[in-house]
Amino acid sequence: MVSKCLNLHLTSYHPNLFAYSKNPNFSHSITLHSSSTKLNKSIHAKNHSSSRRSSNSKVHFSSSRFEIEPDPTLINDDLKPTTPSQRTFSGLEMASLWVGLVVGVPSYYLAGSLVDLGMAWWQGVLTVVAANMILFVPLVLTGHPGTRYGISFPVLARSSFGIHGAHIPTLLRALVGCGWYGIETWIGGETIFILLPNSIKQTSFSKSLPWLGTSPLEFFCFLVFMVAQLSIVWKGIEGIRKLEKYSAPILILLTSLLLIWSYVNANGFGHMLSLSSKLSNSEFWSLFFPSLTANISFWAALALNIPDFTRYAKSQNDQIIGQAGLPIFMGAFTFVGMVVTSSTKVIFGYVISNPIQLLAKIGGFVTTIFAILGITLATITTNIAANVVAPANALVNLNPMLFTFRRGAILTAFLGVVFQPWKLLKSSESFVYTWLVGYSALMGPIGGIILVDYYLVKKTNLSIEDLYSRNSLGAYYYSKGFNVAAIVALVVGVLPVIPGFLHKVGTLKSVSESFVVIYNNAWFVSFFSAGLFYWIMSCLKNK
């Protein structure tokens, strides 16, 4: 029997392990360590001796391992599990990815917005650090299957939502990514606009058009920055890895120079340290929880699709060490943002929370050059890694035969324009409590469902073969490719947040105070309610 010849089992675990479990159409299972030369030779000999008997099966020999032929509508080169040769991210490179992600205008702006809203500097820093330490847990947990199986977020989502149901969470994540892509690109375009000569900015092209919501010149700068980013995306994930690796030390240097400038011109940090909170006890706590949620939401979307990056990690240790960079670098950069924002009150007489406006205010040829370099690099490194990879992979997953990573990235860019980011950034209130808290109600339940499914239901065991199969007897086919329990759990997680969101955007004039509290804690409520509901449904189904 073919199954007796090819049924191989390895009990030891290695991150570069490829597990192909039982297929209804072919009764054998293969668990193969692709880097074992001796084992490969043994398998090759057995495969040669049984080639005639297995000629009608869907097994074929690849240069490094056996593969069950997947459904062409569920796979292409961007969706395949990563091979050992593609596992190039060390712990240091994973951490440098977070440097590129964290150092950017939105992170700086988020820190400044907390000061604007009345927090003391230390309250703002602790809020940010606490949020990112909480997020570190789902980051590592969600990154585990990426490293273990070499799969991206859209493929992982198939295990919990179903082969076709996975389009729901991936497209929701993609929409948030498109919105963020538009925001970051607008910031980059704003940098170009502000640093243009006054003779150009004083023309009629810089006057705002009511139907557009901004000026033609600003919109043109926005488009220019978008094209510049796409030229880097065109090189794929390896180009992104190199960009993050080599830009990290430059961003740290430029951030340090900004900190030194504020220290010298404000005569130390005394002014910042002496600033107290403008909030009463009750006002602080009413602001703290939505601010905590907003800060979790800041990276909640990336926490979902972190397997898109951890699938390239060399080992689980590298993945975990790299993820630890988030709370460390976010806390450090927030401190810088707080220091510099507070120092502007002493230096200029009023608070400047926008770093682009601050750099334009400082002026000077050298400063302008550093400003262009720093903000452009910071924006590109954040935007490409955080907001292009997920939407592009979601579109590839939607139709692997039509979309490639590059095509998905181009469509992401155009969708970013539709979000009209210049309106999302019009105030701290709309940016933090409408945009950040609002979309956390979508990201929270998806994360809760995927983690409960992977750790509590599947016990971290996935069938790679079935993730790429549309066979009705496959492990993830569920009901016509949709896992109804996961979809219902997603709805259960989102529904309680909707009244508070509608009240926030002004659609509902008044709602119960309990709905306001739920909205202010949207990520927590949706994450745990959806996860718990899905676990109960799965347990009842198994019984």
Side-chain angles (χ1 to χ4, degrees):
M1 294 294 292
V2 176
S3 59
K4 290 182 179 179
C5 294
L6 300 180
N7 194 24
L8 304 171
H9 297 277
L10 295 177
T11 56
S12 62
Y13 166 73
H14 188 278
N16 292 339
L17 197 69
F18 291 87
Y20 292 85
S21 62
K22 193 172 182 180
N23 185 310
N25 292 333
F26 188 63
S27 59
H28 79 276
S29 63
I30 298 174
T31 306
L32 178 62
H33 190 307
S34 59
S35 63
S36 175
T37 306
K38 188 177 293 184
L39 183 59
N40 280 339
K41 290 179 179 179
S42 174
I43 292 172
H44 182 72
K46 290 182 180 181
N47 180 61
H48 180 73
S49 65
S50 60
S51 60
R52 289 188 178 181
R53 285 177 289 173
S54 62
S55 61
N56 292 328
S57 72
K58 290 187 176 181
V59 181
H60 63 276
F61 187 71
S62 180
S63 60
S64 61
R65 68 183 187 273
F66 283 101
E67 293 178 348
I68 308 302
E69 186 177 325
D71 191 297
T73 63
L74 295 175
I75 193 170
N76 66 8
D77 289 340
D78 296 313
L79 291 177
K80 286 180 180 178
T82 51
T83 61
S85 63
Q86 292 174 309
R87 308 286 184 98
T88 57
F89 279 35
S90 65
L92 182 61
E93 287 177 323
M94 287 291 296
S96 68
L97 172 70
W98 280 113
V99 174
L101 288 167
V102 165
V103 179
V105 175
S107 302
Y108 183 103
Y109 184 69
L110 182 63
S113 67
L114 296 178
V115 175
D116 284 346
L117 294 168
M119 282 192 181
W121 71 271
W122 61 269
Q123 292 174 329
V125 172
L126 286 180
T127 301
V128 172
V129 172
N132 287 281
M133 288 183 69
I134 292 171
L135 193 61
F136 172 73
V137 177
L139 262 172
V140 170
L141 293 177
T142 311
H144 183 277
T147 303
R148 181 173 185 178
Y149 297 104
I151 55 176
S152 60
F153 167 62
V155 177
L156 174 62
R158 294 173 185 175
S159 65
S160 53
F161 283 84
I163 294 298
H164 302 311
H167 295 316
I168 298 172
T170 54
L171 289 176
L172 288 175
R173 168 64 184 95
L175 284 175
V176 173
C178 290
W180 264 118
Y181 182 86
I183 289 173
E184 291 277 5
T185 305
W186 177 257
I187 289 169
E190 188 182 11
T191 306
I192 297 173
F193 175 79
I194 288 179
L195 299 175
L196 285 174
N198 288 329
S199 58
I200 297 176
K201 289 190 289 186
Q202 291 171 357
T203 63
S204 58
F205 290 106
S206 61
K207 293 181 180 179
S208 180
L209 299 177
W211 63 270
L212 184 60
T214 186
S215 69
L217 185 57
E218 287 175 294
F219 189 74
F220 176 74
C221 293
F222 171 63
L223 295 179
V224 168
F225 197 80
M226 180 185 296
V227 173
Q229 292 176 107
L230 289 177
S231 64
I232 297 173
V233 173
W234 206 251
K235 297 179 181 179
I237 195 71
E238 184 61 20
I240 294 173
R241 182 184 74 87
K242 290 180 178 178
L243 172 70
E244 301 292 344
K245 179 181 179 179
Y246 296 117
S247 63
I250 297 173
L251 291 174
I252 292 173
L253 173 63
L254 294 175
T255 302
S256 301
L257 289 175
L258 186 61
L259 183 64
I260 293 169
W261 171 87
S262 66
Y263 180 86
V264 171
N265 287 274
N267 297 316
F269 299 148
H271 176 73
M272 183 198 75
L273 296 174
S274 65
L275 288 176
S276 59
S277 173
K278 300 175 184 176
L279 308 170
S280 65
N281 236 12
S282 59
E283 288 174 336
F284 170 77
W285 289 112
S286 64
L287 180 66
F288 172 77
F289 287 106
S291 297
L292 186 71
T293 303
N295 276 277
I296 290 176
S297 305
F298 198 75
W299 297 116
L302 188 61
L304 280 184
N305 73 288
I306 197 65
D308 292 341
F309 300 98
T310 60
R311 66 195 293 234
Y312 296 97
K314 293 179 179 179
S315 68
Q316 291 292 353
N317 285 339
D318 288 302
Q319 185 254 135
I320 294 169
I321 292 170
Q323 305 288 31
L326 172 62
I328 295 171
F329 297 133
M330 195 68 183
F333 191 68
T334 299
F335 176 77
V336 173
M338 291 289 186
V339 168
V340 178
T341 300
S342 300
S343 69
T344 57
K345 176 69 175 176
V346 177
I347 299 169
F348 300 109
Y350 57 94
V351 173
I352 304 175
S353 59
N354 189 321
I356 300 174
Q357 294 175 355
L358 172 60
L359 291 168
K361 182 75 174 176
I362 295 172
F365 177 76
V366 176
T367 303
T368 300
I369 296 299
F370 277 117
I372 294 172
L373 173 64
I375 294 180
T376 299
L377 194 59
T379 304
I380 289 177
T381 52
T382 301
N383 210 16
I384 291 176
N387 308 317
V388 174
V389 175
N393 282 341
L395 291 168
V396 171
N397 184 58
L398 183 65
N399 192 332
M401 301 180 74
L402 175 63
F403 284 106
T404 61
F405 181 82
R406 290 175 176 178
R407 291 177 183 176
I410 292 172
L411 184 56
T412 298
F414 284 111
L415 290 175
V417 180
V418 177
F419 274 83
Q420 300 182 67
W422 46 91
K423 292 183 178 180
L424 290 174
L425 288 172
K426 64 182 179 181
S427 70
S428 297
E429 180 76 15
S430 61
F431 174 64
V432 176
Y433 299 120
T434 302
W435 169 243
L436 291 179
V437 178
Y439 78 67
S440 72
L442 297 175
M443 301 298 99
I446 296 172
I449 292 165
I450 287 177
L451 290 180
V452 166
D453 181 78
Y454 181 68
Y455 287 97
L456 301 182
V457 179
K458 303 292 193 306
K459 309 295 184 183
T460 74
N461 296 313
L462 299 179
S463 167
I464 296 297
E465 174 193 342
D466 287 339
L467 287 171
Y468 298 94
S469 172
R470 293 180 65 181
N471 191 299
S472 60
L473 298 178
Y476 314 118
Y477 193 76
Y478 298 105
S479 176
K480 297 182 179 180
F482 294 88
N483 185 359
V484 177
I487 296 170
V488 173
L490 175 60
V491 174
V492 168
V494 173
L495 279 178
V497 185
I498 292 177
F501 174 74
L502 294 177
H503 174 64
K504 195 67 180 177
V505 297
T507 304
L508 292 178
K509 292 184 178 180
S510 63
V511 294
S512 169
E513 184 63 28
S514 59
F515 285 121
V516 175
V517 174
I518 289 172
Y519 178 74
N520 289 340
N521 298 275
W523 185 85
F524 293 98
V525 172
S526 60
F527 180 91
F528 288 107
S529 61
L532 179 62
F533 184 84
Y534 178 73
W535 189 27
I536 294 171
M537 291 281 286
S538 297
C539 291
L540 292 174
K541 183 180 178 181
N542 290 337
K543 287 182 180 180

